Amino acid sequence: MKHAPGPVGLYDPANEHDSCGVAFVVDMYGRRSRDIVDKAIMALVNLEHRGAAGAEPNTGDGAGIMIQVPDRFLRETAGFELPAEGAYATGIAFLPQGSEDARLACEGVEKIVESEGLRLLGWREVPVDDSSIGALARDAMPTFRQLFIALGDGAPADEDGMELERRAFVVRKRVQYELGEKGAGQDGPGRETVYFPSLSGKTFVYKGMLTTPQLREFYLDLQDDRLESALGLVHSRFSTNTFPSWPLAHPFRRVAHNGEINTVTGNENWMRAREALIDTSAFGPDAAEKIFPACTPGASDTARFDEVLELLHLGGRSLPHAVLMMIPEAWERHETMKPEHKAFYRYHASLMEPWDGPASVCFTDGNVVGAVLDRNGLRPSRIWVTKDGLVVMASEVGVLDVDHADVVQKLRLQPGRMFLVDTKAGRIVDDEEIKDELAAQHPYQQWLDEGLLTLDDLKSRPHEHMPHHRVNLRQLVFGYTNEELNLLVAPMAKSGAEA
């Protein structure tokens, strides 16, 4: 993959954001079919106007689709025997362009898999047709191979598949940090020597530096009628203030997103500060050395959001729980909110600050699929539900031609509220039910009463007068600017309220 520029002129990669088109199509009852894949691709094509292209109309900013792992299709095309469905993890690897470099990268991946006590099942060549893509996309195009891994012989039963998910996560992180620092991969995101869009036993991602109509033409798998899924999450990327690349196309491992995370730099800094406090056995011994930093430095806002969400989910929380930690309601002055809901949010506010948009975030773990609008509410989305259990959510109406006679519900995504489809339960889960269940899992109010210390609880101390030059010196040491002092600190000191 090719190098993107560093900070130059008015451009700074730290300010990368995107504003895009996003949609998902799901069979509420979890019935896998080719029809769902076709409908998801059609929704993506109809979001072409929400994406962008560069100087070449056939080099896109990015397009992609996330589906459930297509087990039947892979059994017939892998070329080797696979374990039972859900007992193996798989994903496409973006490898260096050169054949020798790609071979060495595969060897590096295999060594990491072996060192983590996992079984390498094999590699599959991913058939692609690059005739429709532009020269810039082709010039940056990686080599594609699909990896298959499984838990080692004698591993304990993994009924929910989460142990395999965690082990695959560690492999992927090690590949990113150990192999991504060699050769063409050095110097940051979008230029990795090896990159996995996904590596999972539950979900599978096809994506790239493509326009929306090119995705199906490029990945020949997507043209195969044997490829089936009960859900499809699609994304058309418009990369504002950013340079397109194959890895930075959406979907990521859990989310696709329309909008911006404008607090992402502060969120990343806080995550970095918290890493020393994280203590878990979920990811095996020496996890801190393998999976941190949690946020890839310099990655896009969505990529960093996805990395933290995935960490919270694999650490033991349900996906809706992790999402509400990161994108809470505006709860502090909500006078009619249930006290137990407010206790849930207040407790988690001491663990995680909000990732504020404006942002409409779609998420899935392969079983549940949902969406949430941040508390600013500035990225509306529409939802249609049909009488046969088809659910379509998109950043606008009209991504699919649905007979109005079949539509039983028309909804919109609301600020601070979650829309969730559980394909295992075969139903739409109400926002209130989600939050009632999460709030009842632990005695959050009791924990707050026993462990939360407010400023009013602290004993007053005599004020120590400090000469101006000493105050000024400390302000400089801690990075205060004249703008912050005049516009933020001074008004807060005068009014006692947030500026």
Side-chain angles (χ1 to χ4, degrees):
M1 294 173 234
K2 303 300 181 181
H3 285 253
V8 56
L10 296 177
Y11 170 75
D12 189 330
N15 297 323
E16 292 202 348
H17 299 288
D18 44 52
S19 184
C20 325
V22 64
F24 65 71
V25 179
V26 56
D27 185 297
M28 187 193 307
Y29 304 109
R31 298 168 296 195
R32 296 188 183 218
S33 68
R34 176 65 203 183
D35 184 55
I36 290 294
V37 177
D38 286 336
K39 281 183 165 65
I41 293 173
M42 178 58 67
L44 176 65
V45 171
N46 288 334
L47 287 169
E48 182 179 12
H49 61 286
R50 298 295 292 263
E56 300 172 327
N58 54 354
T59 292
D61 279 13
I65 181 171
M66 183 194 300
I67 59 175
Q68 294 169 320
V69 169
D71 180 71
R72 185 172 76 90
F73 168 75
L74 293 176
R75 287 185 187 283
E76 297 178 14
T77 59
F80 45 84
E81 188 175 350
L82 294 175
E85 182 178 0
Y88 64 91
T90 183
I92 295 174
F94 289 2
L95 303 169
Q97 292 177 340
S99 57
E100 180 63 16
D101 288 337
R103 184 188 66 81
L104 292 174
C106 286
E107 288 183 0
V109 172
E110 291 172 10
K111 290 178 181 176
I112 290 174
V113 169
E114 182 181 358
S115 69
E116 288 298 322
L118 299 171
R119 282 189 295 141
L120 174 73
L121 301 175
W123 293 89
R124 169 181 175 256
E125 295 288 337
V126 181
V128 298
D129 178 3
D130 65 359
S131 61
S132 67
I133 68 175
L136 289 173
R138 188 180 296 109
D139 185 48
M141 184 179 74
T143 299
F144 304 95
R145 294 207 182 116
Q146 185 176 347
L147 175 68
F148 294 80
I149 60 175
L151 294 175
D153 295 329
D158 185 26
E159 295 181 4
D160 62 358
M162 290 305 289
E163 179 62 21
L164 178 60
E165 293 296 296
R166 293 183 182 106
R167 301 287 290 280
F169 169 77
V170 172
V171 167
R172 207 189 69 233
K173 281 289 189 177
R174 285 191 60 189
V175 166
Q176 175 183 341
Y177 291 132
E178 294 176 26
L179 301 184
E181 296 175 355
K182 298 180 179 179
Q186 58 193 357
D187 293 336
R191 302 174 288 279
E192 291 85 349
T193 301
V194 185
Y195 174 86
F196 282 95
S198 63
L199 185 59
S200 169
K202 300 176 184 291
T203 58
F204 196 86
V205 172
Y206 293 96
K207 71 176 185 177
M209 197 169 151
L210 308 164
T211 63
T212 59
Q214 288 174 343
L215 184 72
R216 185 178 184 276
E217 299 171 8
F218 183 82
Y219 287 109
L220 301 186
D221 290 354
L222 294 175
Q223 302 175 27
D224 196 306
D225 288 340
R226 296 170 292 179
L227 193 83
E228 298 174 334
S229 177
L231 62 88
L233 173 58
V234 297
H235 188 272
S236 173
R237 187 170 190 235
F238 189 108
S239 50
T240 50
N241 305 321
T242 143
F243 284 89
S245 75
W246 287 81
L248 291 182
H250 299 213
F252 288 94
R253 287 85 185 209
R254 292 291 183 279
V255 307
H257 148 242
N258 169 37
E260 302 176 346
I261 306 294
N262 284 316
T263 59
V264 67
T265 301
N267 295 130
E268 179 182 0
N269 289 339
W270 277 113
M271 280 302 301
R272 186 67 172 164
R274 282 191 289 260
E275 286 172 6
L277 303 176
I278 295 176
D279 182 16
T280 178
S281 59
F283 302 102
D286 304 320
E289 298 177 6
K290 300 173 182 178
I291 66 174
F292 294 143
C295 297
T296 301
S300 68
D301 53 344
T302 314
R304 285 176 277 178
F305 179 94
D306 180 81
E307 287 175 313
V308 174
L309 181 66
E310 183 181 32
L311 181 66
L312 293 174
H313 179 220
L314 294 179
R317 296 172 177 86
S318 69
L319 192 56
H321 186 166
V323 170
L324 289 176
M325 280 182 67
M326 299 181 69
I327 309 179
E329 289 181 76
W331 58 271
E332 290 178 277
R333 294 179 177 85
H334 196 318
E335 295 180 357
T336 60
M337 180 181 285
K338 292 181 179 179
E340 53 269 31
H341 290 192
K342 188 168 287 191
F344 171 85
Y345 286 124
R346 192 180 187 196
Y347 173 81
H348 286 96
S350 65
L351 305 178
M352 175 78 62
E353 64 293 323
W355 294 60
D356 271 338
S360 173
V361 178
C362 297
F363 56 88
T364 183
D365 62 0
N367 293 322
V368 300
V369 58
V372 65
L373 187 62
D374 80 308
R375 53 191 180 172
N376 295 302
L378 298 176
R379 287 292 184 271
S381 297
R382 296 292 186 265
I383 303 158
W384 284 15
V385 184
T386 69
K387 59 187 178 184
D388 62 353
L390 179 70
V391 180
V392 182
M393 197 230 72
S395 45
E396 60 196 68
V397 172
V399 295
L400 281 183
D401 187 12
V402 178
D403 188 342
H404 283 255
D406 293 332
V407 177
V408 295
Q409 255 186 314
K410 291 183 180 180
L411 308 167
R412 67 180 177 88
L413 206 56
Q414 299 179 54
R417 299 180 69 84
M418 179 176 289
F419 177 79
L420 188 73
V421 180
D422 187 335
T423 62
K424 282 194 170 182
R427 67 189 184 97
I428 296 171
V429 187
D430 182 71
D431 172 79
E432 198 77 0
E433 180 184 346
I434 297 167
K435 292 166 183 174
D436 282 345
E437 183 178 323
L438 291 174
Q441 285 180 350
H442 299 289
Y444 290 114
Q445 188 59 56
Q446 179 185 337
W447 290 353
L448 290 169
D449 294 339
E450 294 175 353
L452 190 65
L453 188 67
T454 67
L455 290 177
D456 292 336
D457 297 329
L458 298 176
K459 294 181 180 179
S460 60
R461 297 179 58 188
H463 173 67
E464 179 184 351
H465 178 75
M466 190 177 292
H468 175 73
H469 71 275
R470 289 182 61 194
V471 175
N472 191 51
L473 178 62
R474 281 156 176 74
Q475 290 169 342
L476 291 171
V477 167
F478 287 96
Y480 284 88
T481 64
N482 285 328
E483 182 182 36
E484 289 169 335
L485 292 174
N486 294 329
L487 298 181
L488 299 177
V489 177
M492 285 193 292
K494 291 176 182 176
S495 65
E498 185 175 352

